[in-house]
Amino acid sequence: MATVAKPGAPPDAPLAVIGAIAGVAVAALLIAFGPMLVAATGLIGGTHGALWDESVFTAAIFGAMLLAALIGGALTGVRPFALGARPGTMLALGAALGLAGILAGTALSWIARGLAIGAAGTPGAALLLGLVAIVLQVVAEESYFRGGLQPLLARVWGVRVAVPLVAAAFAGLHVLGGAANLVALANLFLGGLAFGLLAARAGGIAPAIGMHLAWNGTEQLLLGLDPNPGVGGFGAMLDLDLVGSPWWGGSAEGMNASIGMTVALLAILAPLLIYARRPV
């Protein structure tokens, strides 16, 4: 994201491409070395506890991503935090899609006998802090990828190229965060496609935030599916574990590596792809 342009004015194609490559490189550096730098400060680990560690880690990594999105937008003339038309309606629509998707994926795992009830859930004030952390993560990722990189590339090659390119970058960068399963990477790509199509159609990131937030929040704080098994430092209302075949999420990567998630995302993508062909 290293070119200056007036808002709405298409930058020179080579500079836009260089800017997008720089944006991906910055994200890669942040994901690859950010955790090590945060750990080196001594602010996490030791006797602080899981709640403190997750809170500080999320604030540091995704706060830095938000700052990078802000700087990138200033340099390129792209508005990474633009919500688009009818933001409230689009946010709710995205949230409905995300909730339906994660519940459908969970139901498919249950049908395949890959769902078990773990220890009792841990509702409490920590859940509110967890919700704040997830909101920060989702807003940072969506403003960076769908709000910044995608519109920048769309100015050069159009939405039909920009959406899958950014979705591929989004999935690929998760390898640096530990994702290795091919099904998980495919699901991350499909999720990126859905977020990208929603943002492109709405002209802003509101529906992508809604879908991403509802999916992650339900998965982590309501159902307790992530991490798998057990629950994270913020706790969860329930503690459902994915067990059995890794194809249905019975691994450390959980729902991300489940074909139930694949089916749910494809069901969401089908109407989005049809709708995307209609003129705005």
Side-chain angles (χ1 to χ4, degrees), residues 136-255:
L136 174 60
Q137 175 193 349
V138 167
V139 171
E141 290 185 341
E142 292 310 315
S143 62
Y144 197 94
F145 290 97
R146 263 63 64 174
L149 292 179
Q150 182 171 296
L152 184 60
L153 288 177
R155 289 179 176 183
V156 180
W157 291 317
V159 170
R160 292 185 179 182
V161 174
V163 169
L165 272 183
V166 173
F170 178 71
L173 286 169
H174 277 77
V175 174
L176 298 175
N181 184 285
L182 291 180
V183 176
L185 292 175
N187 285 338
L188 287 164
F189 174 72
L190 293 175
L193 278 182
F195 302 149
L197 288 170
L198 286 169
R201 186 70 190 188
I205 60 175
I209 288 175
M211 180 178 171
H212 202 163
L213 178 60
W215 192 296
N216 286 16
T218 301
E219 182 180 21
Q220 296 176 34
L221 301 180
L222 177 58
L223 302 179
L225 290 168
D226 182 26
N228 189 57
V231 298
F234 299 114
M237 294 295 293
L238 303 172
D239 179 14
L240 302 182
D241 294 329
L242 295 167
V243 297
S245 171
W247 289 103
W248 293 102
S251 68
E253 294 198 61
M255 182 62 73

Side-chain angles (χ1 to χ4, degrees), residues 81-93:
F81 303 107
L83 296 178
R86 298 179 298 161
T89 301
M90 291 297 101
L91 185 72
L93 173 62

